[in-house]
Amino acid sequence: MTPKTLRLGTRRSLLAMTQSRIVAAELGRSRPDVSIEIIGIETKGDKLLDVPLHEIEGKEFFTAELDEALLEGRVDFTVNSLKDMSIERHPELHTAAIPARAEPHDVIVFGPSGTRKLLHGGTITIGSSSLRRLENIPPFLAQALPHGAGASFADIRGNVNTRLSRLHDPEGGSRHFDAVVLAFAGIERLLGDQFARDEVKGLLSGTKLMLLPLSLCPTAPGQGALSIECRRADRLTTSVLQKLHDPAAHEAVSMERALLIKHGGGCHQKFGATASNHKLLGLILHTRGPTESGMRIDGMHWSIPEPRKCPALDRIAAWDGSAWRNTLTSHRIATGLPENMRGKPVFVSHSRAVDDSMLPSLRSARVWTSGVQSWFRLARLGVFVEGCAEGLGFDHLSPVFSSGLAGLGDMSDWTVLTHKHAENDWLARGCSVLPSYRLERTGGGATDKMRGAIKQATHVFWSSGSQFDELKDLVSHDAVHACGPGKTAVRIRNKGIKPFVFPSKEEWKKWIDTH
């Protein structure tokens, strides 16, 4: 027997109603024989908008009233943002499904006044009440903002559209902010909802976005994921809801929330924890910030491959290609950019691809880069960077690039600044490429000493595809190849070799040490 109508309980905020409509639509596709009635319920967190959540006593600020309606049978299931859910739930309730997760990043939305201050190095007032965000974002912005711009933070509460509206309030007034910090997923969902889209598009007019890197600014555990709950004894409703369950999302948020179980959860925590899935590396968990005891849990955690020795040798001789790359010098082969770059997406593969002649064009373009260190160097040159790939490869950002919020179009819209040896790889993607420099060793190619070291190596870490092309024939056929997760891995695989892929050379070195 299947229920014909299920009552969905949700908060009444614009985002909560949008998320509930998304779930209702998904259920309609998976179970067209079941209709969904959405019932809005006001919660304590919706009423107390003038006090930061960490100053309010108790917990379940956004879920207590929904739980009550569910337990009393006034609704059949509820939809909540998972980050708002406490670890300890009522024993008569259970999570029937965690749907596919949206992008978990935080994003800073700079309003018109904030955008002007970015150009002149002023101090930008940013709205956020999250202790976690206040812990991790300020030190990041100290290096990430261009022109030496500063940042100060002030408390802000309210729904997404309410917070965005304060970017457009009169400057100098008590309600005005230059920027606000929000969850990327929330804005993206609102832009996809027919009832919210026009309002949110209007509020985003004249703004700039900055996607915060998970390595330095991990988010609240569970951010970007939804929790669909029902009564544990209601097997019929559970069976309907389970159609939406996504095992990958469940695995990621379980990894994050395990830290809340270990260290305590809620709005009082200052640490962030975000697990993201990489197609070559699997789940990567970024954590940063102090626990309530004051212990910092900064780091990256992932499933390290099983150590493997070179089959023909009973020893380890590791060769680190990144050390070889440090002996290279760059030679400029192109300068300048087209003048009409305003609003066009540009990917800077390394900050050394940029020279002073390019800065006027880059300052009007939408700039993304490969990692946080290149980001910081570009910021010192006065370039506003929207986000970076965190050393995990351009493709890792594909879901962000294709989103309605980022609005970056397809590859044909991009210009990539890179070195000469990488030109063909990028051209194959269909984008415009400016190879602005080439890398050369002083005195020519590999030295005899270097060749000898490579020939004796049992484990090799390739730092670039061009390095692999130049030196691969020197490596023993039994050697264990490794590299980072970007284009180098693709290049090596195309040659019929399956390398071990690591997030960084440091992680490779740790792996070598476990042998």
Side-chain angles (χ1 to χ4, degrees), residues 169-182:
D169 282 339
E171 293 184 43
S174 61
R175 287 184 47 81
H176 177 76
F177 282 93
D178 298 316
V180 293
V181 187
L182 296 167

Side-chain angles (χ1 to χ4, degrees), residues 308-318 456-459 476 478 480 515:
R308 191 176 83 193
K309 289 188 176 182
C310 182
L313 299 170
D314 188 25
R315 62 183 178 83
I316 296 296
Q456 295 298 316
T458 62
H459 292 69
S476 165
D478 287 329
V480 179
H515 283 61

Side-chain angles (χ1 to χ4, degrees), residues 171-241:
E171 293 184 43
S174 61
R175 287 184 47 81
H176 177 76
F177 282 93
D178 298 316
V180 293
V181 187
L182 296 167
F184 184 96
I187 308 176
E188 177 67 9
R189 285 172 176 148
L190 289 170
L191 287 172
D193 182 67
Q194 61 175 324
F195 299 104
R197 183 183 302 121
D198 290 344
E199 178 184 354
V200 174
K201 276 188 175 180
L203 293 172
L204 290 173
S205 176
T207 65
K208 276 182 174 288
L209 305 178
M210 178 181 282
L211 189 80
L212 301 181
L214 296 177
S215 56
L216 297 180
C217 303
T219 63
Q223 183 162 303
L226 300 178
S227 174
I228 306 177
E229 285 197 332
C230 68
R231 292 179 292 277
R232 191 179 297 274
D234 189 347
R235 295 183 179 179
L236 287 176
T237 300
T238 297
S239 67
V240 172
L241 300 177

Side-chain angles (χ1 to χ4, degrees), residues 259-276:
L259 290 172
L260 295 180
I261 295 173
K262 181 177 181 179
H263 299 293
C267 299
H268 302 82
Q269 277 292 10
K270 295 183 178 181
F271 69 81
T274 309
S276 58

